[in-house]
Amino acid sequence: MKGPELVDLTSRFRFAESCLGLVGCICISYAVWTPDWLDEKGLWSRGNESNPAVSWTQGHAIQGLGPQNVFAALSFLMAVSSGILCLLFAFCWTSKTVLSYSNTRSLLMAGQALYPTTLLLITLLPTGFFFLLSWALFTSQHIAYIRDDLTRLGSSYWLGAVGWALLLAVLPVVFLVEQCVVPDILPELKKKTELWWKGFEVAHTRSFSDSYQHSAEHFNHEFKRYTSMP
C-alpha cells in the first residue's frame, strides 16, 4: 500500500471522497453491530422482559428479523466492500494506474468504464440509502420514546446518522464540486496514450533495425570468410 497521491486536483478530490466514504462506512458498520441505540439496546436486541424498568422493550422488542435488520445487514455488507474500495482508491490508485493497464485505458477512452470517484459514488450511495432505511424504521418504531427523552439515544444511533449523512449528503456535494472544478482527463489521457504508442513504435523500429543490421553484418562476415577459403 502506497501513500496517497496529492499532486493535482483529480488526485486530491479522489482522496477526499475516498476518506469521506471510508469514514461513512466505518460509522455504519459500527452502528449496525453495536447495541447502544436506545436505552443501551441495538438493532438486534430482543429486549429484556425480566426488567420492567425498560418500558420500550415491553411489546416493542424486535421479534425475529424485521425489515430494519435486513436493511442493516445489507448495508453492512456493502459498507465492508465499499470501504475496501475506498482504501484502494485512496492509497493504491495513482494517475499512472490508468496508463499501466491497456484494457482500463481503452474502456475509459471508449466511455465504457467509470472514473474512480464515479464508481465510489455509485457504490456508496446505495450503502447509505439502505442504512438510512434501517435507521428510519428504527426511529419510526420508537418515535414516542425518542420524543419523550432524546438522551435515551446512544452513540450507535448518532454515529449511524453521521454515516448516512456523509454518504448521502456530503459525498454527492463534493462529487458535484469536483465535476465543476476538475477538468476532464480524457484529452490528457488520449495525448499520453498517443505519446506512449509513438514511443513504443520508435523503440520497436529501432530494435528491428538493430536486429536487421546485426544479421546483415553477421551474414557479410560469414560470406567473406567462406569466399576467402582456398
Side-chain angles (χ1 to χ4, degrees), residues 167-200:
L167 300 186
L168 296 180
V170 180
L171 182 65
V173 171
V174 177
F175 179 80
L176 290 177
V177 172
E178 178 198 8
Q179 300 305 304
C180 298
V181 174
V182 178
D184 191 5
I185 68 170
L186 277 182
E188 183 181 359
L189 182 61
K190 292 179 180 179
K191 182 179 179 180
K192 289 182 178 179
T193 303
E194 291 175 359
L195 293 175
W196 183 84
W197 273 110
K198 288 180 180 179
F200 175 77

Side-chain angles (χ1 to χ4, degrees), residues 23-170:
V23 173
C25 290
I26 291 175
C27 290
I28 287 177
S29 301
Y30 178 85
V32 168
W33 295 109
T34 50
D36 194 15
W37 280 64
L38 181 65
D39 292 334
E40 297 183 355
K41 298 189 181 297
L43 289 173
W44 309 96
S45 301
R46 292 181 176 273
N48 182 10
E49 296 183 0
S50 62
N51 184 8
V54 184
S55 60
W56 74 274
T57 61
Q58 300 176 2
H60 295 275
I62 299 174
Q63 302 295 330
L65 287 178
Q68 69 270 27
N69 301 98
V70 176
F71 289 131
L74 183 59
S75 65
F76 170 76
L77 295 176
M78 296 183 67
V80 172
S81 58
S82 299
I84 295 174
L85 192 64
C86 291
L87 286 174
L88 173 67
F89 285 141
F91 297 102
C92 299
W93 191 277
T94 66
S95 58
K96 298 180 181 178
T97 303
V98 177
L99 296 174
S100 302
Y101 299 94
S102 58
N103 185 46
T104 304
R105 182 175 61 249
S106 301
L107 291 175
L108 273 175
M109 294 174 62
Q112 298 176 358
L114 299 174
Y115 296 109
T117 52
T118 306
L119 182 59
L120 281 177
L121 189 71
I122 291 176
T123 56
L124 291 171
L125 283 181
T127 303
F129 176 73
F130 284 121
F131 181 79
L132 175 60
L133 290 178
S134 176
W135 187 88
L137 286 172
F138 181 90
T139 302
S140 63
Q141 288 180 0
H142 307 98
I143 189 63
Y145 305 102
I146 295 174
R147 286 176 178 174
D148 289 341
D149 188 3
L150 282 176
T151 59
R152 299 172 69 177
L153 294 173
S155 60
S156 301
Y157 181 89
W158 295 115
L159 276 177
V162 171
W164 66 254
L166 285 175
L167 300 186
L168 296 180
V170 180

